[in-house]
Amino acid sequence: MSAAFGHITVPVDGSTTSERGVAFALELARGGGSVTFCSVVDPMLVCLPATYGVAVDPGPMLAVLEDDAAEFCRRAQVEAAGAGIAAEVRVLHGQCVEAIESLVRQSGSQAIVVGTHGRTGLARSVLGSVAEGLLRRSDVPVVSVHEDDVVREGPIAVAFDESPAAHAALETAIWIASARGLSIALIHACDTPSPDPGRVNALLAGAAKRVHARGVSAEVIVREGRAPETLLSAADELECCMIVMGTHGRPAFQRLVLGSVAAHVVEHARIPVVTVRRTTSA
């Protein structure tokens, strides 16, 4: 068994969800991988009261945030040391998603593992979410881990269709499966019966051939129904250990109006979800 990713960036904030992300990142890094733990101090949050006319000295508050961020990283580094995994720590400054993206580029990370509370509906659209921002913008796979994720030993579920994002997701899934000694379940969901079932069968047969050529076993599942619910249901029935899927990285307004299969799955899954972004122009 080898590391699923050679180097992983892991944002931490001291929450129990963040702790689950740390634990899963270390599991993915076993077998030769390394991690960088980071915590972000956003000075704009400290200065926010001033925009409402409240006089606040930001110095002491920033110092507390700096100390907290360093402590969050230190705890994670101690856990990594206990697991025998090399780890670096970084306290970042600025807007969370942008700061993490910059660190990923600088460190050459192959993935980001982030804890998410799975916010839904208006709370997510108003409050925002670091995990969701990374899902939409990251150029490397994002592994979303939930506080109440279950641990399973089944195959990796891969949402597969004709899109470039799905093909990129399959490549990531093959890499993980090969490294961790897992199999793959190729799941194709459609709202209505396919007008060309032969084309769907050929598509999935080609995908299975790609998987088998890399020494990984694969099974094919075709289901009718709305893609998010069908994918989640099939993953539960098969006792899948994680879901890997592509995302087109829609901009915020379009995502709120049209919805997003990837966002829905990340919100409602109770196993880790790996998203691989491809822009709509890809």
Coordinates of all heavy atoms in Angstrom, one line a residue, residues 133-178:
G133 N -15.8 26.8 -1.4 CA -15.0 27.7 -2.2 C -13.8 26.9 -2.8 O -13.5 27.1 -4.0
L134 N -13.2 26.0 -2.1 CA -12.1 25.2 -2.6 C -12.7 24.3 -3.7 O -12.0 24.0 -4.7 CB -11.4 24.4 -1.5 CG -10.6 25.3 -0.5 CD1 -10.2 24.4 0.7 CD2 -9.4 25.9 -1.2
L135 N -13.8 23.7 -3.4 CA -14.4 22.8 -4.4 C -14.6 23.5 -5.7 O -14.4 22.9 -6.8 CB -15.8 22.3 -3.8 CG -16.6 21.2 -4.6 CD1 -17.4 20.4 -3.7 CD2 -17.5 21.9 -5.6
R136 N -15.1 24.7 -5.7 CA -15.4 25.5 -7.0 C -14.1 25.9 -7.7 O -14.1 26.1 -8.9 CB -16.2 26.7 -6.7 CG -17.7 26.3 -6.3 CD -18.6 27.6 -6.3 NE -18.3 28.4 -5.1 CZ -17.8 29.6 -5.2 NH1 -17.3 30.1 -6.3 NH2 -17.6 30.3 -4.1
R137 N -13.0 26.2 -6.9 CA -11.9 26.9 -7.5 C -10.6 26.1 -7.6 O -9.7 26.5 -8.3 CB -11.6 28.2 -6.7 CG -12.8 29.2 -6.8 CD -12.6 30.4 -5.9 NE -11.2 30.9 -5.9 CZ -10.9 32.1 -5.4 NH1 -11.8 32.8 -4.8 NH2 -9.6 32.5 -5.4
S138 N -10.4 25.1 -6.8 CA -9.1 24.4 -6.7 C -8.8 23.7 -7.9 O -9.6 23.0 -8.6 CB -9.1 23.4 -5.5 OG -7.9 22.7 -5.5
D139 N -7.5 23.8 -8.3 CA -7.0 23.1 -9.5 C -6.5 21.7 -9.1 O -6.1 20.9 -10.0 CB -5.8 23.8 -10.1 CG -6.3 25.1 -10.8 OD1 -7.4 25.1 -11.3 OD2 -5.5 26.1 -10.7
V140 N -6.5 21.3 -7.8 CA -6.1 19.9 -7.4 C -7.4 19.3 -6.8 O -8.3 20.0 -6.3 CB -5.0 19.9 -6.5 CG1 -3.7 20.5 -7.1 CG2 -5.3 20.6 -5.1
P141 N -7.4 18.0 -6.7 CA -8.6 17.3 -6.1 C -8.8 17.8 -4.6 O -7.8 18.0 -3.9 CB -8.2 15.8 -6.1 CG -7.3 15.7 -7.3 CD -6.5 17.0 -7.3
V142 N -10.1 18.0 -4.3 CA -10.4 18.4 -2.9 C -11.2 17.2 -2.3 O -12.2 16.8 -2.8 CB -11.3 19.6 -2.9 CG1 -11.8 20.0 -1.5 CG2 -10.6 20.8 -3.6
V143 N -10.7 16.8 -1.1 CA -11.3 15.7 -0.4 C -12.1 16.3 0.8 O -11.5 16.9 1.7 CB -10.3 14.7 0.2 CG1 -11.0 13.6 0.9 CG2 -9.3 14.3 -0.9
S144 N -13.4 16.3 0.7 CA -14.3 16.8 1.7 C -14.6 15.7 2.7 O -15.2 14.7 2.4 CB -15.6 17.4 1.1 OG -15.3 18.4 0.2
V145 N -14.4 16.0 4.0 CA -14.6 15.0 5.1 C -15.6 15.6 6.1 O -15.5 16.8 6.5 CB -13.3 14.7 5.8 CG1 -13.5 13.7 6.9 CG2 -12.2 14.2 4.8
H146 N -16.6 14.8 6.4 CA -17.6 15.2 7.3 C -17.4 14.7 8.7 O -16.8 13.7 8.9 CB -19.0 14.7 6.9 CG -19.2 14.9 5.4 ND1 -18.8 14.0 4.4 CD2 -19.8 15.9 4.7 CE1 -19.1 14.5 3.2 NE2 -19.7 15.6 3.4
E147 N -17.9 15.4 9.7 CA -17.7 15.1 11.1 C -18.2 13.7 11.4 O -17.7 12.9 12.2 CB -18.4 16.1 12.0 CG -18.1 15.9 13.5 CD -18.7 16.9 14.4 OE1 -19.3 17.9 13.8 OE2 -18.6 16.8 15.6
D148 N -19.4 13.3 10.8 CA -20.0 12.0 11.1 C -19.8 11.0 10.0 O -20.6 10.1 9.8 CB -21.5 12.2 11.4 CG -22.2 13.0 10.2 OD1 -21.5 13.4 9.3 OD2 -23.5 13.1 10.3
D149 N -18.8 11.1 9.2 CA -18.5 10.1 8.2 C -18.3 8.7 8.8 O -17.7 8.6 9.8 CB -17.2 10.5 7.4 CG -17.4 11.5 6.3 OD1 -18.6 11.7 6.0 OD2 -16.5 12.0 5.7
V150 N -18.8 7.7 8.1 CA -18.7 6.3 8.5 C -17.4 5.8 7.8 O -17.0 6.2 6.7 CB -19.9 5.5 8.2 CG1 -21.1 6.0 8.9 CG2 -20.2 5.5 6.7
V151 N -16.8 4.8 8.4 CA -15.7 4.1 7.9 C -16.1 2.8 7.2 O -16.7 1.9 7.8 CB -14.6 3.8 9.0 CG1 -13.4 3.1 8.4 CG2 -14.2 5.1 9.6
R152 N -15.8 2.7 5.9 CA -16.2 1.5 5.2 C -15.0 1.0 4.4 O -14.0 1.7 4.2 CB -17.3 1.8 4.2 CG -18.7 2.3 4.8 CD -19.6 2.7 3.7 NE -20.9 3.1 4.2 CZ -21.8 3.8 3.5 NH1 -21.5 4.2 2.3 NH2 -23.0 4.1 4.0
E153 N -15.1 -0.3 4.0 CA -14.0 -1.0 3.3 C -14.4 -1.4 1.9 O -13.7 -2.2 1.3 CB -13.6 -2.2 4.1 CG -13.0 -1.8 5.5 CD -12.6 -3.0 6.2 OE1 -12.7 -4.2 5.7 OE2 -12.0 -2.8 7.4
G154 N -15.5 -0.8 1.4 CA -16.0 -1.2 0.0 C -15.2 -0.4 -1.0 O -14.2 0.2 -0.8
P155 N -15.8 -0.5 -2.3 CA -15.1 0.2 -3.4 C -15.2 1.7 -3.4 O -15.9 2.3 -2.6 CB -15.8 -0.4 -4.6 CG -17.2 -0.7 -4.1 CD -17.0 -1.1 -2.7
I156 N -14.4 2.3 -4.3 CA -14.6 3.8 -4.5 C -15.7 4.0 -5.5 O -15.6 3.4 -6.6 CB -13.2 4.3 -5.1 CG1 -12.1 4.2 -4.1 CG2 -13.4 5.8 -5.4 CD1 -10.8 4.6 -4.6
A157 N -16.7 4.8 -5.2 CA -17.7 5.1 -6.1 C -17.3 6.2 -7.0 O -16.8 7.3 -6.5 CB -19.0 5.5 -5.3
V158 N -17.4 6.1 -8.3 CA -17.1 7.1 -9.3 C -18.3 7.5 -10.1 O -18.9 6.6 -10.8 CB -15.9 6.6 -10.2 CG1 -15.6 7.7 -11.2 CG2 -14.7 6.2 -9.4
A159 N -18.7 8.7 -10.0 CA -19.8 9.2 -10.8 C -19.3 9.4 -12.2 O -18.4 10.2 -12.4 CB -20.4 10.5 -10.3
F160 N -19.9 8.7 -13.2 CA -19.3 8.7 -14.5 C -20.3 9.0 -15.6 O -21.4 8.5 -15.7 CB -18.6 7.4 -14.8 CG -17.6 7.5 -16.0 CD1 -16.4 8.1 -15.9 CD2 -17.9 7.0 -17.2 CE1 -15.5 8.3 -17.0 CE2 -17.1 7.1 -18.3 CZ -15.9 7.7 -18.2
D161 N -19.9 10.0 -16.5 CA -20.7 10.3 -17.7 C -19.7 10.7 -18.8 O -18.5 10.4 -18.7 CB -21.7 11.3 -17.4 CG -21.1 12.6 -16.9 OD1 -19.9 12.9 -17.1 OD2 -21.9 13.4 -16.2
E162 N -20.1 11.4 -19.8 CA -19.3 11.8 -20.9 C -18.5 13.0 -20.7 O -17.6 13.4 -21.5 CB -20.1 12.0 -22.2 CG -20.8 10.7 -22.7 CD -21.6 10.9 -23.9 OE1 -22.5 11.8 -23.9 OE2 -21.4 10.2 -25.0
S163 N -18.7 13.7 -19.6 CA -18.0 15.0 -19.4 C -16.5 14.9 -19.2 O -16.1 13.9 -18.6 CB -18.7 15.7 -18.2 OG -18.4 15.1 -17.0
P164 N -15.7 15.9 -19.6 CA -14.3 15.9 -19.3 C -14.0 15.8 -17.8 O -13.1 15.2 -17.3 CB -13.8 17.3 -19.8 CG -14.8 17.6 -20.9 CD -16.1 17.1 -20.4
A165 N -14.9 16.5 -16.9 CA -14.7 16.4 -15.5 C -14.8 15.0 -15.0 O -14.1 14.6 -14.1 CB -15.8 17.3 -14.8
A166 N -15.8 14.2 -15.5 CA -15.9 12.8 -15.1 C -14.7 12.0 -15.5 O -14.3 11.1 -14.7 CB -17.2 12.2 -15.7
H167 N -14.2 12.2 -16.6 CA -13.0 11.5 -17.1 C -11.8 11.9 -16.2 O -11.0 11.0 -15.8 CB -12.7 11.8 -18.5 CG -13.5 11.1 -19.5 ND1 -13.3 9.8 -19.9 CD2 -14.7 11.4 -20.0 CE1 -14.2 9.4 -20.8 NE2 -15.1 10.4 -20.8
A168 N -11.7 13.1 -15.8 CA -10.6 13.5 -14.9 C -10.8 12.9 -13.5 O -9.8 12.4 -12.9 CB -10.6 15.0 -14.8
A169 N -12.0 12.8 -13.1 CA -12.3 12.2 -11.8 C -12.0 10.7 -11.8 O -11.4 10.2 -10.8 CB -13.8 12.4 -11.4
L170 N -12.3 10.0 -12.9 CA -11.9 8.6 -13.0 C -10.4 8.4 -12.9 O -10.0 7.5 -12.2 CB -12.4 8.1 -14.3 CG -12.1 6.6 -14.6 CD1 -12.7 5.7 -13.5 CD2 -12.6 6.1 -15.9
E171 N -9.6 9.3 -13.5 CA -8.2 9.1 -13.4 C -7.7 9.3 -12.0 O -6.9 8.5 -11.5 CB -7.5 10.2 -14.3 CG -6.0 10.0 -14.5 CD -5.7 8.7 -15.2 OE1 -6.5 8.2 -16.0 OE2 -4.6 8.2 -14.9
T172 N -8.3 10.2 -11.2 CA -8.0 10.4 -9.8 C -8.4 9.2 -9.0 O -7.6 8.7 -8.2 CB -8.6 11.6 -9.3 OG1 -8.1 12.8 -9.9 CG2 -8.4 11.8 -7.8
A173 N -9.5 8.6 -9.3 CA -10.0 7.4 -8.6 C -9.1 6.2 -8.9 O -8.8 5.5 -7.9 CB -11.5 7.1 -9.0
I174 N -8.7 6.1 -10.1 CA -7.8 4.9 -10.4 C -6.5 5.1 -9.6 O -6.0 4.1 -9.1 CB -7.5 4.9 -11.9 CG1 -8.8 4.6 -12.7 CG2 -6.4 3.9 -12.3 CD1 -8.7 4.7 -14.2
W175 N -6.0 6.3 -9.6 CA -4.7 6.5 -8.8 C -4.9 6.1 -7.4 O -4.1 5.4 -6.8 CB -4.3 8.0 -9.0 CG -3.1 8.3 -8.2 CD1 -3.0 8.8 -7.0 CD2 -1.8 8.2 -8.7 NE1 -1.7 9.0 -6.6 CE2 -0.9 8.6 -7.7 CE3 -1.2 7.8 -9.9 CZ2 0.5 8.6 -7.8 CZ3 0.2 7.8 -10.1 CH2 1.0 8.2 -9.0
I176 N -6.0 6.6 -6.7 CA -6.2 6.3 -5.3 C -6.4 4.8 -5.1 O -5.9 4.2 -4.2 CB -7.5 7.0 -4.8 CG1 -7.2 8.6 -4.9 CG2 -7.8 6.6 -3.4 CD1 -8.5 9.4 -4.5
A177 N -7.3 4.2 -6.0 CA -7.6 2.7 -5.9 C -6.3 1.9 -6.0 O -6.1 0.9 -5.3 CB -8.6 2.3 -6.9
S178 N -5.5 2.3 -7.0 CA -4.2 1.5 -7.2 C -3.3 1.6 -6.0 O -2.7 0.7 -5.6 CB -3.5 2.0 -8.5 OG -2.3 1.4 -8.7

